[in-house]
Amino acid sequence: MDVCSLYTNIPHNEGVTACERFLTDYHSELPAKDICKIIDFILKHNYFSFNGSYYLQTTGTAMGTKMAPCYANVFMAELENDLLSSLVFKSSHYSRYIDDIFFIWEQGKDKLIDFISIINNYHHSIKFTVEYSSESIPFLDVLVGRNGGNISTSIYYKPTDNHQYLDFYSYHPITLKRSIVYSQCLRLKRICSDPTDYQQQLSRLTTNFLNCHYPLKLILSAILKASSKSRSDLLSYTHRPIPDTRIPMVFDHCPPIKSLGNSIKNDYKTLQEDPNISELYLHPPILAQRQPPNLKSLLTSSSLPLANPTHGNMACNNRRCQLCTIIDTSDRFRVPGTNIIIHPPPLNCHASNAVYIIYCAICNKGNYVGETGCKLRLRNNNHKKSVRDKLKGFS
């Protein structure tokens, strides 16, 4: 089962109430009411813009808000507890991951249809879509099937998955590329319950990475390392290590960074050996790398383009502005002496970091193109001052 648009369909009052009960039952370090006031503020102040207009989301939580997964999880936990406890017939197994639900039904198809009808009429805004099969069913990235009296699992790829992993020649650290192959091998080891199926999926994975230009030696090394792991150990819960408290030194990725890291380690030993300051330098910093700006980040934007973009400069209408009376507010004009048509952006006299053109509106011949980092109205004042100084005989 899948909850239809869970995040945007949670009523504010029910979501906050569920969070308050959860925090009270599990003895939060901070008062539950104080945390719920913050949650309520976030929910009721989600403003966003679209096509030049501003909106306030009046129900549900915004997609992408950091608190959204935990908030939705707590709400669904309370909803399903009330729902499942009220049912006469129930599933033999029930698991949920936020809004995706997997359950095993052993009471016949007719009762399953009744169950689906009941849960879809239980809440006014929370509805479910259901897929069921007597042989196999995909759940997230796992294909769950019947194998005699047992359950078997295999990897599941959506029909739209084109298996495009990070290209090996992409400008990323080699350690990242090795970890991508290794993590995908571990994923197969965890999911595939049949050893023969595991080997077949490894062969398919090898082909996919070869298509992304990964060396065969690197792929086989990752497969060997993952295959040496026990599947039962990989499926058991492991406690996360204590977070590293060392200070990170973050640089844009480039190959010479590795030699810099070795130099830092060697020089740090000198600081640690000095008895006067050794306590201040117990642990060396972590050398971290981040992705430098690429063509995608430079040329694309997450903002949607306006359906009907406006053009033409605007006067700021400031009483002291000397540019308002002469600024060209037309949505297009021809550069004097050329056939170039300019569509000015919707900026006013306070715009900065701009390219501008000054042309003579009388003779339509002389023009001057300049750029400025300061405001246009201040740049205009500088030009006028230069003209006045020249007329007075100053160079």
Side-chain angles (χ1 to χ4, degrees), residues 12 47 54 72 93 112 129 161 192 195 253 271 329 338 361 371 383:
H12 289 343
Y47 295 91
Y54 288 88
H93 174 84
L112 174 61
T129 58
D161 190 347
C192 297
H253 167 63
L271 298 174
T329 58
T338 70
E371 59 86 21
H383 278 300

Side-chain angles (χ1 to χ4, degrees), residues 154-155 157 188 192 196-206:
S154 181
I155 193 74
Y157 297 107
L188 293 180
C192 297
T196 304
D197 179 53
Y198 169 64
Q199 294 299 328
Q200 292 175 349
Q201 296 297 339
L202 281 179
S203 177
R204 184 180 179 183
L205 185 69
T206 301

Side-chain angles (χ1 to χ4, degrees), residues 126-137:
I126 302 299
K127 307 299 178 184
F128 301 85
T129 58
V130 184
E131 295 181 23
Y132 57 88
S133 171
S134 59
E135 297 301 325
S136 63
I137 194 80

Side-chain angles (χ1 to χ4, degrees), residues 147-174:
N147 184 12
N150 299 318
I151 290 178
S152 64
T153 56
S154 181
I155 193 74
Y156 173 73
Y157 297 107
K158 291 184 178 180
T160 55
D161 190 347
N162 57 8
H163 307 288
Q164 284 296 316
Y165 302 103
L166 178 72
D167 193 279
F168 185 78
Y169 295 115
S170 181
Y171 194 64
H172 288 76
I174 185 63

Side-chain angles (χ1 to χ4, degrees), residues 266-337:
N266 295 331
D267 295 340
Y268 216 81
K269 293 179 182 178
T270 305
L271 298 174
Q272 292 175 325
E273 292 172 356
D274 190 327
N276 297 321
I277 58 174
S278 58
E279 293 184 0
L280 300 176
Y281 300 95
L282 297 176
H283 305 288
I286 301 175
L287 191 65
Q289 300 183 57
R290 62 189 173 196
Q291 180 178 335
N294 54 22
L295 286 176
K296 179 182 178 181
S297 62
L298 294 173
L299 299 178
T300 63
S301 172
S302 59
S303 300
L304 294 174
L306 296 177
N308 297 306
T310 58
H311 297 284
N313 296 317
M314 300 170 288
C316 68
N317 296 321
N318 189 313
R319 290 183 298 175
R320 300 183 59 183
C321 180
Q322 301 178 28
L323 183 59
C324 286
T325 57
I326 59 174
I327 191 171
D328 192 334
T329 58
S330 57
D331 61 352
R332 56 182 290 174
F333 68 90
R334 185 188 301 275
V335 178

Side-chain angles (χ1 to χ4, degrees), residues 40-76:
D40 186 71
F41 179 87
I42 295 172
L43 293 172
K44 295 181 179 179
H45 291 78
N46 178 37
Y47 295 91
F48 60 95
S49 63
F50 180 75
N51 272 354
S53 300
Y54 288 88
Y55 300 87
L56 170 65
Q57 185 170 338
T58 57
T59 185
T61 180
M63 300 290 290
T65 303
K66 290 185 178 181
M67 73 154 202
C70 294
Y71 172 76
N73 213 5
V74 170
F75 169 79
M76 278 302 300

Side-chain angles (χ1 to χ4, degrees), residues 182 185-186 189 198-199 202 220-231 234:
Y182 178 60
C185 294
L186 285 181
K189 184 77 173 181
Y198 169 64
Q199 294 299 328
L202 281 179
L220 294 178
S221 175
I223 291 176
L224 183 63
K225 183 179 178 182
S227 299
S228 64
K229 302 285 185 179
S230 169
R231 184 168 182 263
L234 293 175

